[in-house]
Amino acid sequence: MAGAAHCSLQVKRLLLDPKFEGYKLSLEPLACYQLGLDAAVAEVKLRDDQYTLDHMRAFGMYNYLHLDSWYQDNVYYVDQLGRVMNLSVTLDTALQKPREVFRLPTDLTAYDNRLCASIHFSSSTWVTLSDGTGRLYLIKSGKRGDSASEKWEIVFNEELGSPFIIAHSVSFVKSDAHSVAVLLLRVEEDELDTKGSGFHITLEWVTIGEISKEGDHRYEIFKRRVLQGKSVPHYAAIEPSGDGLMIVSYKPFRFMRDEDDKLEENDDAKATNEKKDPLYYWQQTEDDVTVTVHIPQDIDKDDIKVHFSLDNICITLKDQPPLMEGKLYSSVDHESCTWIITENKSLEISLIKKTEGPWWPEVIIGDTRGEFIMDSSQCSEITDNLMHLTSEVMNPNPEKENPPCNAQELEECDAFLEDGASLCRFDGDTLKITHVINLGSNQYLFSVVVDPREMPCFCLRHDVDALLWQPRSDQPENMWEHIATFNALGYVQASKQDKKFMACAPDYSYAALCECLRRVFIYRQPTPLSTVLYNRKEGRQVGQVAKQLVATLEANDPILGFQATSERLFVLTTKTLFLIKVNPGN
């Protein structure tokens, strides 16, 4: 990450509501429709050798229901017969049974080590599909959601090694040639990892391109790149142009290079890691700063020029470029500053501080070539000053009026499993990180497609709120835009210990989460009231209220899929597909 730009997420204050009072439980009924499935969903349970947290995150918590964001209220799933089933909703009261749009050529029951089948909709007419055995299909679908025009036709299929799931895919055109880029996720054994889980995560970035030669029209793989990391990414998506990749993960990913590139990379790493001796050493007291610079043996006093000013210093040797030059951290009494050549052939410079007392963190602003040396008396003084802040025991005096804060005082929903997640943007040509953001305690919550022509949005917890961020790969100066806020959702979701999936409407009108069994919680954005309501505690009129709604499904099977549109929630169990009408149609 040496050459990466360290960025930060810019929150839009106008999208925050500091006066948000919370959600009011609403008992208004929600219309809930259910469709029985002809065949059960093709759920693949974890095997005994898939025992790590990464296996659970990647495959155990997989969302088996796929939302086609290119067409409104259009969902797909794969059943145990290997059929890709579609439900397209136009009228809730006239629901049709899910219909078959494609059947996998592979007999899934013949594979013992397969993963769940996965689907991603690359464009309005292109689909990428994995059967979970290690084979990738590129399919031209026609206009989906319309039985008359929807026809899934395989244009490419190839075995790509060990089983994987599709994390993301995009369709794009460059130089008049159509291409599809696909991101494949695997959890693989790592024989070199003797102290960790024994597994690592790979993301394979595959680009499939259109080739037309003398009437031969086909699709072939023309680029394969592999990233490796030690944790399943929360978010991984390819830019719409196919030029870059964004990953949110707890532990970093890096590209695995060819042997020639590895040798070159190792040489670069050695050159970077070779520690250079400091150009100068410096010490300070409350009154002055002393800088010591080693000079060549052939340099004498007449070859040295030192210029002092109120805020600057310049040191030159003979007719060479300045050895040290720049603005000092603080002003000095330049008329009292001096320099001498010591017996061991070093240049010693004494800078007299204009203001006594304040300590300098550096001599020249931005110059990192020096090394600060602290004497033992200064170390002892700092230790004594900090002693009152530490103790050898936790909370040594619990009866004290204001005891020190400790982790036991935190609520469970304030604790984050992972505090070190980062957001990285990789360049597709150089395979290097160009932008990085340390997310710190901004816990990742979920992702959602707001505009299918853009990258998926991701939602992060900021304090108690949940903020939705839209990546803008074509805007390097402002690559992540804050587009919506779900008030207090960060705090609310943390209290739901049994939550499995989270989602939100593409128009931001509500957010929702479901538990492993039955219950679905819906959190609507604040809306104006049709009647007058007063806050009795504060004696003021309340203009709008945010509502929480709870739906309980009539099913004993675990929830396997969960998707949200602007009007409806789709919930998939092993044998049933539920539709919950959240908002009336426009």
Side-chain angles (χ1 to χ4, degrees):
M1 297 188 189
H6 288 263
C7 311
S8 60
L9 298 173
Q10 303 298 320
V11 176
K12 292 183 179 178
R13 298 288 179 185
L14 294 177
L15 295 181
L16 302 180
D17 183 5
K19 297 182 179 179
F20 181 74
E21 296 181 341
Y23 293 97
K24 310 299 181 187
L25 180 62
S26 173
L27 300 179
E28 66 181 79
L30 287 169
C32 183
Y33 308 91
Q34 64 183 70
L35 292 170
L37 308 183
D38 293 336
V41 176
E43 179 186 7
V44 179
K45 297 184 182 297
L46 294 181
R47 305 187 304 269
D48 290 342
D49 60 344
Q50 296 174 321
Y51 54 82
T52 69
L53 180 61
D54 288 321
H55 285 102
M56 174 58 72
R57 283 181 168 171
F59 313 130
M61 299 287 285
Y62 186 74
N63 194 336
Y64 286 84
L65 188 61
H66 307 277
L67 177 66
D68 186 354
S69 301
W70 298 90
Y71 300 95
Q72 188 174 6
D73 294 289
N74 203 31
V75 293
Y76 293 78
Y77 66 92
V78 180
D79 68 14
Q80 289 182 342
L81 302 178
R83 301 179 300 174
V84 178
M85 307 296 288
N86 164 246
L87 176 67
S88 183
V89 180
T90 52
L91 189 63
D92 298 282
T93 54
L95 293 175
Q96 303 292 324
K97 281 274 190 181
R99 61 188 180 91
E100 177 184 342
V101 295
F102 182 76
R103 187 182 291 256
L104 289 167
T106 314
D107 180 11
L108 300 182
T109 58
Y111 292 84
D112 294 330
N113 65 336
R114 69 182 178 94
L115 301 175
C116 47
S118 51
I119 305 171
H120 195 273
F121 303 97
S122 312
S123 74
S124 59
T125 55
W126 289 91
V127 181
T128 52
L129 173 64
S130 164
D131 58 10
T133 68
R135 183 169 290 274
L136 176 67
Y137 297 88
L138 177 60
I139 296 171
K140 191 172 184 178
S141 64
K143 184 179 179 182
R144 298 187 294 273
D146 182 354
S147 57
S149 60
E150 183 171 6
K151 183 180 179 181
W152 289 37
E153 176 189 357
I154 299 174
V155 298
F156 168 90
N157 82 94
E158 190 170 315
E159 187 77 30
L160 297 181
S162 58
F164 56 82
I165 60 172
I166 298 174
H168 189 244
S169 67
V170 293
S171 170
F172 56 93
V173 176
K174 277 189 178 179
S175 304
D176 297 326
H178 175 245
S179 299
V180 175
V182 194
L183 204 57
L184 314 178
L185 186 147
R186 297 181 176 94
V187 180
E188 300 179 327
E189 286 193 48
D190 189 344
E191 295 178 356
L192 300 177
D193 184 10
T194 57
K195 296 182 179 179
S197 65
F199 293 87
H200 63 240
I201 317 302
T202 61
L203 286 171
E204 185 173 4
W205 184 359
V206 181
T207 305
I208 304 167
E210 180 183 21
I211 297 177
S212 296
K213 288 183 180 179
E214 301 176 357
D216 182 17
H217 181 78
R218 66 184 188 277
Y219 282 81
E220 288 186 358
I221 293 176
F222 68 87
K223 193 178 288 186
R224 294 179 72 170
R225 292 154 287 185
V226 177
L227 297 98
Q228 185 173 303
K230 294 298 292 183
S231 67
V232 170
H234 299 298
Y235 172 97
I238 304 168
E239 294 174 358
S241 62
D243 293 330
L245 173 70
M246 294 186 192
I247 297 176
V248 176
S249 63
Y250 172 46
K251 294 181 180 177
F253 276 78
R254 62 183 180 88
F255 275 99
M256 305 302 294
R257 300 172 178 267
D258 297 331
E259 290 301 321
D260 294 340
D261 292 334
K262 283 183 180 178
L263 292 174
E264 183 180 339
E265 187 181 56
N266 289 337
D267 292 340
D268 293 342
K270 286 179 181 177
T272 303
N273 293 333
E274 286 177 0
K275 188 174 181 180
K276 296 181 179 178
D277 292 331
L279 176 65
Y280 59 90
Y281 297 88
W282 62 288
Q283 294 178 297
Q284 67 175 315
T285 66
E286 292 184 352
D287 305 316
D288 58 35
V289 174
T290 303
V291 181
T292 303
V293 186
H294 179 73
I295 57 177
Q297 293 290 330
D298 59 341
I299 298 291
D300 57 31
K301 187 176 181 179
D302 296 333
D303 297 325
I304 301 173
K305 293 182 180 179
V306 181
H307 174 70
F308 300 107
S309 66
L310 183 66
D311 297 307
N312 290 270
I313 187 172
C314 181
I315 303 172
T316 55
L317 306 179
K318 288 188 176 180
D319 297 326
Q320 299 175 8
L323 185 67
M324 289 176 61
E325 182 181 28
K327 185 177 181 181
L328 296 169
Y329 176 78
S330 186
S331 301
V332 295
D333 182 358
H334 60 285
E335 294 181 354
S336 301
C337 296
T338 60
W339 63 271
I340 61 171
I341 297 179
T342 61
E343 294 179 358
N344 63 350
K345 203 62 177 177
S346 293
L347 174 63
E348 187 174 286
I349 303 162
S350 295
L351 303 173
I352 309 303
K353 295 180 179 179
K354 188 81 172 177
T355 305
E356 296 181 3
W359 278 59
W360 293 14
E362 56 189 346
V363 179
I364 297 174
I365 295 176
D367 190 343
T368 59
R369 298 174 297 169
E371 182 177 315
F372 176 61
I373 300 175
M374 186 180 296
D375 63 38
S376 57
S377 62
Q378 292 172 333
C379 291
S380 299
E381 183 180 351
I382 291 174
T383 302
D384 293 339
N385 290 338
L386 297 178
M387 187 65 72
H388 71 285
L389 299 176
T390 63
S391 173
E392 294 182 359
V393 295
M394 176 71 77
N395 196 3
N397 187 5
E399 303 301 325
K400 192 176 178 181
E401 183 178 352
N402 293 312
C405 177
N406 60 66
Q408 295 174 353
E409 294 179 343
L410 297 175
E411 295 184 51
E412 186 172 352
C413 59
D414 289 322
F416 296 110
L417 178 63
E418 299 168 350
D419 287 338
S422 62
L423 165 59
C424 297
R425 190 263 177 187
F426 292 85
D427 183 84
D429 294 325
T430 64
L431 308 185
K432 293 182 179 179
I433 296 175
T434 60
H435 298 73
V436 60
I437 294 177
N438 180 15
L439 297 180
S441 60
N442 298 132
Q443 179 189 13
Y444 175 88
L445 300 178
F446 62 89
S447 63
V448 61
V449 176
V450 170
D451 182 349
R453 294 164 297 183
E454 298 277 357
M455 297 181 72
C457 302
F458 53 87
C459 190
L460 302 177
R461 178 177 175 177
H462 286 248
D463 195 15
V464 298
D465 295 333
L467 274 54
L468 197 62
W469 299 89
Q470 174 67 67
R472 308 283 188 192
S473 57
D474 56 344
Q475 301 176 17
E477 300 303 318
N478 185 26
M479 199 167 279
W480 296 278
E481 181 185 359
H482 175 200
I483 59 172
T485 300
F486 296 101
N487 299 298
L489 184 65
Y491 185 83
V492 169
Q493 62 82 31
S495 66
K496 307 297 182 189
Q497 295 184 348
D498 295 329
K499 71 175 181 294
K500 187 171 185 180
F501 298 117
M502 291 186 68
C504 75
D507 61 0
Y508 330 130
S509 59
Y510 70 91
L513 62 87
C514 71
E515 295 182 340
C516 298
L517 288 169
R518 295 191 190 90
R519 290 203 298 178
V520 176
F521 298 88
I522 300 166
Y523 301 93
R524 283 186 173 147
Q525 294 280 27
T527 52
L529 294 169
S530 57
T531 57
V532 178
L533 182 67
Y534 281 91
N535 184 319
R536 286 182 291 180
K537 287 184 178 179
E538 300 181 10
R540 60 179 177 81
Q541 184 175 340
V542 177
Q544 54 184 11
V545 166
K547 294 180 180 179
Q548 171 191 334
L549 299 97
V550 182
T552 302
L553 306 178
E554 296 180 4
N556 294 321
D557 296 322
I559 293 175
L560 299 179
F562 189 68
Q563 296 289 353
T565 67
S566 296
E567 292 184 26
R568 302 173 180 87
L569 272 173
F570 294 85
V571 187
L572 180 69
T573 67
T574 308
K575 300 175 183 177
T576 311
L577 180 58
F578 293 88
L579 280 75
I580 302 174
K581 186 77 169 180
V582 181
N583 291 323
N586 294 328

